[in-house]
Amino acid sequence: MFRRTLENQNLFAPSPIVADDLPEEARQGLVYRAGVLVDPTMKPRSVDVYDSLSATVLPSGFLAFFGLVRKTFRDGTEEDTIQIVNTTPSGLLAGASEVRNEQQPFSDELEHKPFVGATNTAMEYRRQGLGRDRLVLMGQLAVTVFGSRLHSDIFFSHRSAQKMWVELVRHGYARKYGQNSRFGRIVSERYVLTKDLPAWPVSPKNHSA
């Protein structure tokens, strides 16, 4: 059932919030993320499209604001997603990510399996642990909201993302597999988490600007 809130989930000590609690850049980021690839006639203008909103402080010191939203794409199909935006403590946008739960997947193997739909960190905040923290967050949300382990995306837009998955395999937190098309041909190598990730402690960074 999609209509679930993230309240009471023991995940980086999240707190349920309302729209007025969002920093302006986080609010704009969530509105933008909810409108990516959707039918132009259904692009949201506010965070009211989210079923629920939550916030938490990540071990790296960045903040995470996230919520549940159902997207309607140009072809009329619908998809349940979790949108996450990150800010510095002072409210500057630092990154964003998306967990998708595809309803009509390219591969039958991924039907109703959550995967990383997007993830990005602003250049000035990279190499500070944010991408790592965000993967931990996405992995736990995939289980608590969608009931399945998180899969990687088909394509890796950043080499560092694939490198992180390779490290997870090496340490026993993920496995690699070949994704088959509907015709049985392996078209891509993907990864899936096999157990909960630890919240890696990192040294505090100066990203309060």
Side-chain angles (χ1 to χ4, degrees):
M1 190 75 179
F2 173 68
R3 298 298 178 184
R4 300 166 63 181
T5 69
L6 299 180
E7 298 176 24
N8 303 320
Q9 300 291 353
N10 185 21
L11 173 67
F12 291 143
S15 300
I17 61 172
V18 296
D20 289 344
D21 296 325
L22 290 167
E24 181 59 20
E25 291 198 13
R27 184 191 65 78
Q28 292 179 7
L30 286 171
V31 172
Y32 171 78
R33 291 299 319 163
V36 172
L37 299 180
V38 304
D39 185 319
T41 65
M42 302 186 69
K43 282 191 177 290
R45 296 184 177 181
S46 75
V47 293
D48 292 343
V49 295
Y50 283 86
D51 187 60
S52 65
L53 294 170
S54 295
T56 190
V57 180
L58 301 176
S60 54
F62 292 94
L63 306 182
F65 300 91
F66 50 96
L68 310 173
V69 64
R70 177 166 290 168
K71 289 186 174 183
T72 301
F73 298 110
R74 297 182 181 97
D75 62 0
T77 59
E78 293 186 336
E79 186 172 291
D80 299 339
T81 71
I82 303 170
Q83 301 298 328
I84 304 167
V85 297
N86 303 106
T87 72
T88 64
S90 62
L92 296 180
L93 193 64
S97 58
E98 174 184 59
V99 178
R100 296 175 60 180
N101 193 36
E102 200 165 1
Q103 307 299 305
Q104 297 179 332
F106 174 69
S107 167
D108 291 333
E109 296 174 355
L110 285 183
E111 188 168 9
H112 304 302
K113 297 295 191 299
F115 68 96
V116 179
T119 185
N120 184 61
T121 301
M123 186 66 70
E124 60 268 37
Y125 301 115
R126 292 179 184 175
R127 304 184 67 83
Q128 297 182 33
L130 178 53
R132 190 171 52 188
D133 282 350
R134 205 162 47 223
L135 186 60
V136 175
L137 182 63
M138 288 190 287
Q140 294 191 31
L141 287 175
V143 173
T144 57
V145 178
F146 297 132
S148 184
R149 294 291 182 186
L150 183 72
H151 294 246
S152 68
D153 196 0
I154 299 175
F155 306 106
F156 291 98
S157 56
H158 299 286
R159 289 183 61 187
S160 59
Q162 185 172 19
K163 193 174 180 182
M164 187 178 295
W165 280 98
V166 170
E167 282 295 300
L168 290 172
V169 171
R170 189 165 70 89
H171 290 288
Y173 287 101
R175 67 175 174 84
K176 180 179 174 181
Y177 67 96
Q179 177 189 311
N180 296 324
S181 70
R182 293 188 186 278
F183 304 103
R185 181 170 59 89
I186 294 178
V187 295
S188 178
E189 291 184 340
R190 298 184 76 162
Y191 301 84
V192 59
L193 295 180
T194 55
K195 57 184 176 181
D196 291 341
L197 297 176
W200 290 281
V202 296
S203 300
K205 300 287 185 179
N206 182 18
H207 46 240
S208 59

